Amino acid sequence: MVAMPALDQDVLARRAEIVAALRGIVPGEGVIDSEVGMRPYESDGLTAYRQLPMVVVLPETTEQVSRVLRYCHEHGVKVVPRGSGTSLSGGALPLGDGVLLGLSKFNRVLEIDYANRVAVVQPGVTNLGVSNAVANEGFYYAPDPSSQIACSIGGNVAENSGGVHCLKYGMTTNNILGVEMVLIDGEIVRIGGKHLDSGGYDLLALVCGSEGPLGVVTEITVRILKKPETARAVLVGFPTSEQAGDCVARIIGAGIIPGGMEMMDRPAIHAAEAFVHAGYPLDVEALLIVELDGPEAEVDHLLDRVSEIAQSCGSTVLRASTSEEERLKFWAGRKAAFPAVGRIAPDYYCMDGTIPRAKLPLVLARMRELSEQYGLQVANVFHAGDGNLHPLILYDANKADELERAEKFGADILRLCVEVGGVLTGEHGVGVEKRDLMPVMFSETDLNQQQRVKCAFDAQGLLNPGKVFPTLHRCAELGRMHVHGGNVPFPDIPRF
Amino acid sequence: MTDILKPRDEQDVAEAVARALAEEKTLEIVGQGSKRAIGRAAQTDMTLDLSKLSGIEIYEPEELILSARAGTPIAEIEKALAKNEQELAFEPMDCAPLLGGKPGRGTLGGMIAVNLSGPRRIKAGAMRDFALGVRAVSGRGEQFKAGGRVVKNVTGYDLPKFLAGSWGTLAVITQATIKVVPRGEAVETVLVLGLDDTRAVEAMSVAMGSSCEVSGAVHLPVDVARQLSIIPIASAGKSVTALRLEGIPVSIAYRKDKLQKLLAPFGELGKLGPRDSRNFWRAMRDAAPFAGETQNPVWRVSTSPSEAPRVAAAIRASAKAEIFFDWAGGLLWVRMPGKAAEEWAVRSALAGRGHALLMRADPAVRASAQVFEPLEPGMAAISKRLKESFDPKGILNPGRMYAGI
């Protein structure tokens, strides 16, 4: 387990005073300090980690967020922002000596502007809520993480969430234009707007995917798109995962970017089929779901080409959806893969590395070896188009040392991802979970530069500390320059 | 004379920056110098010329990624991509028509540093959306990396996107990985003739809000259209609103039919075939209507499309400028009639609803104007702290964007 920063006893001793001050800012039930009331906030989607916060605050206005943060800044109190609490990496894990700042009451769609194809929403609106708000006019919001019924758009910004369609339509960072954000000292800034790109530094690029340590987002301007006229999915089964991987590479190599392209391995196929009866073939080692969207003529044309490629790669099953109902059924299995795996084991641990796709056979083979070594089963679902792997490690938390073994197994998988040229996390975030693995991918210099960015926003380190970075440095220490005056060796850089 | 340093590798770059730090000298960072005339006119002690830091290191078409050293010419990258029917989706502009100089210059590092995207921005995204990974040397003389070489990655802060558009003021990019995409098999353009600015933006809004997957939407008032060398545009004798369709022919045929039906109520329709389309959209990418007469200042103004007609009218009212609209109205190219930048006319018309960049002006004019959009005090303070976090002594392209940054 990853260790969180030691509790600040001085802050805890002032708890009653802090709670009273917060009540003065957010009235009524917006401040929760009873154990039973705070219990629902003790963890997010990474349920292996639990911690009651010092106090929960649920503000309703930007002004309240600003005053809460200003108070915390002046009094040295840590703050953890939280959306819907669906993070799979512990991004919203509370701190025992910190305020848990929930944005759930920021749940309104403020403006829909079809002429400019944008919507302005509050951060507590669910991802699906954004799409639903514009569905009547045939529009939608493109990023669609599997948790879209529950996860909030504010959380999506913090985590730069993806989804099965981000191969073609991009992740959150590619689909938002502006935010209103409150800094730790209470200052309210607006970044971007309804226009494209930035006039100065691209702060939106930093905020999106930062995991909550730079500021608290209180309003978001998102791009909305017209829904494609048609979408069809095709199920393709292969005797080996190598063939499936080859097929994915050849589809993209042929210049086709499908709306979605997902892969499941045998254990995942079996679990999903048993759970939702999507009609998946059970006698294959790898299953691809390839979705093509656009005008009907284009979809039909591309479906033919994908089918030809699949057959030339040795597919043994090939079935295209012939109705919207059937297409949704194909997806139902994939979208329910996590809970489906949850049915065949008491607990599962979901990983999120990304690899260069060509390394897939190697990574799967090594994973099988690790599975034997640790004595734990693993099922794989895979955003095949962009190389984002979700191995689900099956374990039983009630058995001695199984969680620890699962964590070690997971860490080995992520090290493997980095070793083959990939990264620790494709869309779930570093959070608490992968914090201590950051040095596998980044040098101390790399990490120090990232922390200096954090310092530019929050020099006291009060916003969501203990996440993302394995070693917390004081900002003053990071800011120091180490110049060895006079004696720097640069004898032979060509000069003109 | 300014010292020019020509590093051969990243180690050389780190040493050059360390040396500048030790000697308290400032550095101008250049690739091929194609965009050197953009930005605030600032004096530096030495020039760090990255043109020798060149070459594609990894290109994997099936992974949709390309890694190259910062000084690699964009032309070399585009040539390699074209061999595999791929391209840079965001259409990096060739600054030669606007700024003078030889066409086809520009490097990967410079392309990222300025984050200027062409007409396809509205569909495919900006340059920064394709920045996946960087290696760089900070103003502290430290070599660091960020991002990765895969398209889906949230490990650590997204510094590759953040460095895009920072104009070399934060770090010297030495190597970068970008996402590349398949090129549309075919291209065609639907034209609507004779619309005024307001109707044109409405027509483009209808097109963009349809499922026709329009990948370019510009409006040229008649005074601008007349100056193009593409016959069907120049000879129309009317304003021209152009919508681009790309993809496979069977899809274009369907979408063209649908788009024409949607646009018919707006006015007389026309079209450009594949060859004229390619020339036309390249001209739009490069702001070619405002080529030549390089002493006339040109502004690049980003706003929301529905604001654009009002902003354009206000600028014309006070400065008699020529204006055309890209990005379905979201991008205004503005050419001033004389030598003055007419900054007040642009900024007061925009009134903070977007941002304006003085893309072209004589050094003397740039010295007395705010070239980049002025920042609100809160944003200015954060920007200054971010600059200091990368470059505490202010030695990298100091003052290129803002005084003190």
Side-chain angles (χ1 to χ4, degrees), chain A residues 86-143:
Chain A
T86 57
S87 168
L88 292 170
S89 56
L93 179 71
L95 297 169
D97 55 355
V99 171
L100 193 281
L101 188 71
L103 277 298
S104 54
K105 292 187 175 173
F106 281 74
N107 58 2
R108 287 184 304 132
V109 174
L110 299 175
E111 186 192 352
I112 299 171
D113 178 350
Y114 290 111
N116 292 308
R117 299 164 300 285
V118 298
V120 183
V121 301
Q122 291 189 321
V125 176
T126 61
N127 172 290
L128 194 60
V130 179
S131 284
N132 286 344
V134 297
N136 275 345
E137 297 288 325
F139 282 79
Y140 76 117
Y141 172 66

Coordinates of all heavy atoms in Angstrom, one line a residue, chain A residues 86-143:
Chain A
T86 N -15.5 8.5 -8.8 CA -15.4 7.2 -9.6 C -13.9 7.0 -10.0 O -13.6 6.0 -10.8 CB -16.2 7.3 -10.9 OG1 -15.9 8.4 -11.7 CG2 -17.7 7.3 -10.5
S87 N -13.0 7.8 -9.6 CA -11.6 7.6 -9.9 C -11.1 6.2 -9.6 O -11.4 5.7 -8.6 CB -10.7 8.6 -9.2 OG -9.3 8.2 -9.3
L88 N -10.4 5.6 -10.6 CA -9.9 4.3 -10.3 C -8.4 4.3 -9.8 O -7.8 3.3 -9.7 CB -9.9 3.5 -11.6 CG -11.3 3.2 -12.1 CD1 -11.3 2.6 -13.5 CD2 -12.0 2.2 -11.2
S89 N -7.9 5.5 -9.6 CA -6.5 5.6 -9.1 C -6.4 6.3 -7.8 O -5.3 6.6 -7.3 CB -5.7 6.3 -10.2 OG -6.2 7.6 -10.4
G90 N -7.5 6.6 -7.1 CA -7.4 7.2 -5.8 C -7.2 8.7 -5.9 O -6.8 9.3 -4.9
G91 N -7.5 9.3 -7.0 CA -7.4 10.8 -7.1 C -8.2 11.6 -6.1 O -7.8 12.7 -5.7
A92 N -9.3 11.0 -5.7 CA -10.2 11.7 -4.7 C -10.1 11.1 -3.4 O -11.0 11.3 -2.5 CB -11.6 11.7 -5.3
L93 N -9.1 10.3 -3.1 CA -8.9 9.7 -1.8 C -8.8 10.8 -0.7 O -7.9 11.7 -0.9 CB -7.7 8.8 -1.7 CG -7.4 8.1 -0.4 CD1 -8.5 7.0 -0.1 CD2 -6.0 7.5 -0.4
P94 N -9.6 10.9 0.3 CA -9.5 12.0 1.3 C -8.2 11.9 2.1 O -7.5 10.9 2.1 CB -10.7 11.7 2.2 CG -11.6 10.8 1.5 CD -10.7 10.0 0.6
L95 N -7.9 13.0 2.8 CA -6.8 13.1 3.7 C -7.4 13.2 5.1 O -8.4 14.0 5.3 CB -5.9 14.2 3.4 CG -5.2 14.2 2.1 CD1 -4.5 15.5 1.8 CD2 -4.2 13.1 2.0
G96 N -6.9 12.5 6.1 CA -7.4 12.6 7.4 C -7.3 14.0 8.1 O -8.1 14.3 9.0
D97 N -6.4 14.8 7.6 CA -6.3 16.1 8.1 C -6.7 17.2 7.1 O -6.2 18.3 7.1 CB -4.9 16.4 8.6 CG -3.8 16.1 7.5 OD1 -4.3 15.7 6.4 OD2 -2.6 16.4 7.7
G98 N -7.5 16.8 6.1 CA -7.9 17.7 5.0 C -9.4 17.8 4.8 O -10.2 17.0 5.3
V99 N -9.7 18.9 4.1 CA -11.1 19.1 3.8 C -11.4 18.3 2.5 O -10.6 18.4 1.5 CB -11.4 20.6 3.5 CG1 -12.7 20.9 2.9 CG2 -11.2 21.4 4.8
L100 N -12.5 17.6 2.4 CA -12.9 16.9 1.2 C -13.9 17.9 0.6 O -15.0 18.1 1.1 CB -13.5 15.6 1.5 CG -13.8 14.5 0.5 CD1 -15.0 14.8 -0.3 CD2 -12.6 14.3 -0.5
L101 N -13.6 18.5 -0.6 CA -14.4 19.5 -1.2 C -15.2 18.8 -2.4 O -14.6 18.6 -3.4 CB -13.5 20.6 -1.8 CG -14.2 21.8 -2.3 CD1 -14.8 22.7 -1.2 CD2 -13.2 22.7 -3.1
G102 N -16.4 18.5 -2.1 CA -17.3 17.8 -3.1 C -18.0 18.8 -4.0 O -18.6 19.8 -3.5
L103 N -18.0 18.5 -5.3 CA -18.6 19.5 -6.3 C -19.9 19.0 -6.8 O -20.4 19.4 -7.8 CB -17.6 19.7 -7.5 CG -16.5 20.7 -7.3 CD1 -17.0 22.1 -7.1 CD2 -15.5 20.4 -6.3
S104 N -20.5 18.0 -6.0 CA -21.7 17.4 -6.5 C -22.9 18.3 -6.7 O -23.8 18.1 -7.4 CB -22.1 16.2 -5.6 OG -22.2 16.7 -4.2
K105 N -22.9 19.5 -6.0 CA -24.0 20.4 -6.1 C -23.9 21.3 -7.3 O -24.8 22.1 -7.6 CB -24.2 21.2 -4.8 CG -24.6 20.3 -3.6 CD -24.9 21.1 -2.4 CE -25.5 20.2 -1.3 NZ -25.7 20.9 0.0
F106 N -22.7 21.3 -7.9 CA -22.6 22.0 -9.2 C -23.1 21.2 -10.3 O -22.3 20.6 -11.1 CB -21.1 22.3 -9.4 CG -20.6 23.5 -8.6 CD1 -20.4 23.3 -7.2 CD2 -20.3 24.7 -9.2 CE1 -19.9 24.4 -6.4 CE2 -19.9 25.8 -8.4 CZ -19.7 25.6 -7.0
N107 N -24.4 21.0 -10.4 CA -24.9 20.0 -11.3 C -25.8 20.5 -12.4 O -26.7 19.8 -12.9 CB -25.7 18.9 -10.5 CG -26.8 19.6 -9.7 OD1 -27.0 20.8 -9.8 ND2 -27.5 18.8 -8.9
R108 N -25.6 21.8 -12.8 CA -26.4 22.4 -13.8 C -25.7 22.6 -15.2 O -24.5 22.9 -15.2 CB -27.0 23.7 -13.3 CG -28.1 23.6 -12.3 CD -28.6 24.9 -11.9 NE -27.6 25.8 -11.4 CZ -27.5 27.1 -11.8 NH1 -28.4 27.6 -12.7 NH2 -26.6 27.9 -11.4
V109 N -26.5 22.4 -16.2 CA -26.0 22.8 -17.5 C -26.4 24.2 -17.7 O -27.6 24.6 -17.6 CB -26.8 21.9 -18.6 CG1 -26.4 22.4 -20.0 CG2 -26.4 20.4 -18.5
L110 N -25.4 25.1 -17.8 CA -25.6 26.5 -17.8 C -26.1 27.1 -19.1 O -26.9 28.0 -19.2 CB -24.3 27.2 -17.3 CG -23.9 26.9 -15.9 CD1 -22.5 27.5 -15.6 CD2 -24.9 27.2 -14.8
E111 N -25.5 26.6 -20.2 CA -25.8 27.2 -21.5 C -25.5 26.1 -22.6 O -24.5 25.4 -22.5 CB -24.9 28.4 -21.7 CG -25.3 29.1 -23.0 CD -24.2 30.2 -23.4 OE1 -23.3 30.4 -22.6 OE2 -24.3 30.7 -24.5
I112 N -26.4 26.1 -23.5 CA -26.2 25.3 -24.7 C -26.2 26.2 -25.9 O -27.2 26.9 -26.1 CB -27.2 24.1 -24.9 CG1 -27.2 23.2 -23.7 CG2 -26.9 23.3 -26.2 CD1 -28.3 22.2 -23.7
D113 N -25.1 26.2 -26.6 CA -24.9 27.2 -27.7 C -24.7 26.4 -29.0 O -23.5 26.1 -29.4 CB -23.7 28.1 -27.4 CG -23.4 29.1 -28.4 OD1 -24.0 29.0 -29.5 OD2 -22.6 30.0 -28.2
Y114 N -25.8 26.1 -29.7 CA -25.6 25.2 -30.9 C -24.9 26.0 -32.0 O -24.2 25.4 -32.8 CB -27.0 24.7 -31.4 CG -27.6 23.7 -30.4 CD1 -28.7 24.1 -29.7 CD2 -27.0 22.5 -30.3 CE1 -29.3 23.1 -28.8 CE2 -27.6 21.5 -29.4 CZ -28.7 21.9 -28.7 OH -29.3 21.0 -27.8
A115 N -25.1 27.3 -32.1 CA -24.5 28.1 -33.2 C -23.0 27.9 -33.1 O -22.3 27.8 -34.1 CB -24.9 29.5 -33.1
N116 N -22.4 27.9 -31.9 CA -21.0 27.7 -31.7 C -20.6 26.3 -31.4 O -19.4 26.0 -31.1 CB -20.5 28.7 -30.7 CG -20.6 30.2 -31.2 OD1 -20.1 30.5 -32.3 ND2 -21.2 31.0 -30.4
R117 N -21.5 25.4 -31.3 CA -21.3 24.0 -31.0 C -20.5 23.8 -29.7 O -19.6 23.1 -29.6 CB -20.6 23.3 -32.2 CG -21.4 23.4 -33.4 CD -20.7 23.1 -34.7 NE -19.6 24.0 -34.9 CZ -19.7 25.3 -35.4 NH1 -20.9 25.8 -35.6 NH2 -18.6 26.0 -35.5
V118 N -21.0 24.5 -28.6 CA -20.4 24.3 -27.3 C -21.5 24.3 -26.3 O -22.6 24.8 -26.5 CB -19.5 25.5 -26.9 CG1 -18.3 25.6 -27.9 CG2 -20.2 26.8 -26.9
A119 N -21.2 23.7 -25.1 CA -22.1 23.7 -24.0 C -21.3 24.2 -22.8 O -20.1 23.9 -22.7 CB -22.7 22.4 -23.7
V120 N -21.9 25.0 -21.9 CA -21.2 25.4 -20.7 C -21.9 24.7 -19.5 O -23.1 24.8 -19.4 CB -21.3 27.0 -20.5 CG1 -20.6 27.4 -19.3 CG2 -20.8 27.7 -21.8
V121 N -21.1 24.0 -18.8 CA -21.7 23.1 -17.8 C -20.9 23.3 -16.5 O -19.8 23.7 -16.4 CB -21.7 21.6 -18.2 CG1 -22.5 21.4 -19.5 CG2 -20.3 21.1 -18.3
Q122 N -21.6 22.9 -15.4 CA -20.9 22.9 -14.1 C -20.3 21.5 -13.9 O -20.6 20.6 -14.5 CB -22.0 23.1 -13.0 CG -22.5 24.6 -13.0 CD -23.4 24.9 -11.8 OE1 -24.1 24.0 -11.3 NE2 -23.3 26.1 -11.2
P123 N -19.2 21.5 -13.1 CA -18.4 20.3 -13.0 C -19.1 19.0 -12.5 O -18.6 17.9 -12.8 CB -17.2 20.7 -12.1 CG -17.7 21.9 -11.3 CD -18.7 22.6 -12.2
G124 N -20.2 19.2 -11.7 CA -20.8 18.0 -11.1 C -21.8 17.4 -12.1 O -22.4 16.3 -11.8
V125 N -22.0 17.9 -13.3 CA -22.9 17.3 -14.3 C -22.2 16.0 -14.7 O -21.0 16.0 -14.9 CB -23.1 18.2 -15.5 CG1 -23.9 17.5 -16.6 CG2 -23.8 19.5 -15.1
T126 N -23.0 14.9 -14.9 CA -22.3 13.7 -15.3 C -21.9 13.8 -16.8 O -22.5 14.5 -17.5 CB -23.3 12.5 -15.1 OG1 -24.4 12.6 -16.0 CG2 -23.7 12.3 -13.7
N127 N -21.0 13.0 -17.1 CA -20.5 12.9 -18.5 C -21.7 12.6 -19.4 O -21.9 13.3 -20.4 CB -19.5 11.8 -18.6 CG -19.1 11.5 -20.1 OD1 -19.8 11.0 -20.8 ND2 -17.9 11.9 -20.4
L128 N -22.5 11.6 -19.1 CA -23.7 11.3 -19.9 C -24.7 12.4 -19.9 O -25.4 12.7 -20.9 CB -24.3 10.0 -19.5 CG -25.3 9.3 -20.4 CD1 -24.6 9.0 -21.8 CD2 -25.9 8.1 -19.8
G129 N -24.8 13.1 -18.7 CA -25.7 14.3 -18.6 C -25.4 15.3 -19.6 O -26.4 16.0 -20.1
V130 N -24.2 15.5 -20.0 CA -23.8 16.5 -21.0 C -24.4 16.1 -22.4 O -25.1 16.8 -23.1 CB -22.3 16.7 -21.2 CG1 -22.0 17.7 -22.2 CG2 -21.7 17.2 -19.8
S131 N -24.2 14.8 -22.7 CA -24.7 14.3 -24.0 C -26.2 14.3 -24.0 O -26.9 14.7 -25.0 CB -24.2 12.9 -24.2 OG -22.9 12.9 -24.7
N132 N -26.8 13.9 -22.9 CA -28.3 13.9 -22.8 C -28.9 15.3 -23.0 O -30.0 15.5 -23.6 CB -28.8 13.4 -21.5 CG -28.6 11.8 -21.4 OD1 -28.4 11.2 -22.4 ND2 -28.6 11.3 -20.2
A133 N -28.2 16.3 -22.5 CA -28.7 17.7 -22.6 C -28.8 18.2 -24.0 O -29.6 19.1 -24.3 CB -27.9 18.6 -21.7
V134 N -28.0 17.6 -24.9 CA -28.0 18.1 -26.3 C -28.5 17.1 -27.2 O -28.4 17.3 -28.5 CB -26.5 18.6 -26.7 CG1 -26.1 19.8 -25.8 CG2 -25.5 17.4 -26.5
A135 N -29.0 15.9 -26.7 CA -29.4 14.8 -27.6 C -30.6 15.2 -28.5 O -30.7 14.7 -29.6 CB -29.7 13.6 -26.7
N136 N -31.5 16.0 -28.0 CA -32.7 16.4 -28.7 C -32.3 17.0 -30.1 O -33.1 16.8 -31.1 CB -33.5 17.4 -28.0 CG -34.4 16.7 -27.0 OD1 -34.6 15.5 -27.1 ND2 -35.0 17.5 -26.0
E137 N -31.2 17.7 -30.1 CA -30.8 18.3 -31.4 C -29.9 17.5 -32.2 O -29.2 17.9 -33.1 CB -30.2 19.7 -31.1 CG -31.1 20.7 -30.5 CD -32.2 21.3 -31.5 OE1 -31.8 21.4 -32.7 OE2 -33.3 21.5 -31.0
G138 N -29.7 16.2 -31.7 CA -28.8 15.3 -32.4 C -27.3 15.5 -32.2 O -26.5 15.0 -32.9
F139 N -27.0 16.2 -31.0 CA -25.6 16.4 -30.7 C -25.2 15.5 -29.6 O -26.0 14.8 -28.9 CB -25.4 17.8 -30.3 CG -25.3 18.8 -31.4 CD1 -26.4 19.3 -32.1 CD2 -24.0 19.2 -31.9 CE1 -26.4 20.1 -33.1 CE2 -24.0 20.1 -33.0 CZ -25.1 20.6 -33.6
Y140 N -23.9 15.4 -29.3 CA -23.4 14.6 -28.2 C -22.0 15.2 -27.8 O -21.4 15.9 -28.5 CB -23.3 13.1 -28.5 CG -22.2 12.7 -29.4 CD1 -21.2 11.8 -28.9 CD2 -22.1 13.1 -30.7 CE1 -20.1 11.4 -29.7 CE2 -21.0 12.8 -31.5 CZ -20.1 11.9 -31.0 OH -19.0 11.5 -31.8
Y141 N -21.5 14.7 -26.6 CA -20.2 15.1 -26.1 C -19.4 13.8 -26.3 O -19.7 12.7 -25.8 CB -20.3 15.5 -24.7 CG -18.9 15.7 -24.0 CD1 -18.0 16.7 -24.5 CD2 -18.5 14.9 -23.0 CE1 -16.8 16.9 -23.9 CE2 -17.2 15.0 -22.4 CZ -16.4 16.0 -22.9 OH -15.1 16.2 -22.3
A142 N -18.3 13.9 -27.0 CA -17.6 12.7 -27.6 C -16.9 11.8 -26.5 O -17.1 10.6 -26.6 CB -16.6 13.1 -28.7
P143 N -16.1 12.3 -25.6 CA -15.4 11.3 -24.7 C -16.5 10.6 -23.9 O -17.4 11.2 -23.3 CB -14.6 12.2 -23.8 CG -14.3 13.5 -24.6 CD -15.6 13.7 -25.4

